[in-house]
Amino acid sequence: MMRDTEVDPPALRRALLELAPWLAGTEVGPAVVEAGDCDRCGGAPRLLPLCGPVSWTAVCRDCGLALGEDGWCDGHADQGAAARDWAAALPDTWPTLVLLWWLATGELRAIDPTARRRTDFEPLPAPVRAALGTAD
């Protein structure tokens, strides 16, 4: 288990923002939603806040795309379309980056890569792995 005591949070935040500045977005992304799994599927990190007629508060990229405009109220249809476009353009590593962002910001205290099965640190750049204490 990767615990916060093995991690250098300020170094991890810097390395992640260098790699993926979208992590600190103020409209959508992990800085906008509460840390946790998608309200709809429960299998990926939350990313997109919703305001539509659905009962979910925040969903992952794939669920946001699948919901389409049904995830946003009529008054926020344009923001919903922009959020879906933004989410569709994310790199395939987005779930790992989101979990690491929450670890770096203190919203998560630990990540168990074996249990989560969606966390793969090897392809991450050296500064990120160094901040995690996993660099070679």
Side-chain angles (χ1 to χ4, degrees):
M1 183 169 299
M2 179 167 297
R3 299 178 194 277
D4 59 353
T5 56
E6 300 168 354
V7 174
D8 179 349
L12 183 56
R13 278 192 302 275
R14 285 190 303 273
L16 287 169
L17 287 174
E18 182 72 26
L19 175 64
W22 55 266
L23 289 166
T26 58
E27 299 294 322
V28 292
V32 178
V33 297
E34 183 178 329
D37 289 329
C38 174
D39 292 344
R40 183 175 181 241
C41 74
R46 306 162 114 224
L47 200 59
L48 304 172
L50 302 178
C51 66
V54 296
S55 62
W56 305 297
T57 303
V59 295
C60 67
R61 175 187 69 178
D62 295 345
C63 287
L65 295 175
L67 284 170
E69 61 188 38
D70 290 340
W72 288 263
C73 68
D74 290 341
H76 292 110
D78 290 343
Q79 289 98 328
R84 291 187 306 277
D85 289 345
W86 173 86
L90 290 175
D92 290 341
T93 57
W94 76 266
T96 299
L97 297 173
V98 168
L99 290 173
L100 293 177
W101 178 255
W102 286 333
L103 186 66
T105 61
E107 291 186 65
L108 286 182
R109 296 204 30 106
I111 296 175
D112 183 345
T114 304
R116 301 300 288 212
R117 291 188 319 162
R118 62 177 176 235
T119 310
D120 184 6
F121 303 121
E122 285 303 311
L124 296 174
V128 174
R129 289 192 328 270
L132 291 169
T134 61
D136 2 68

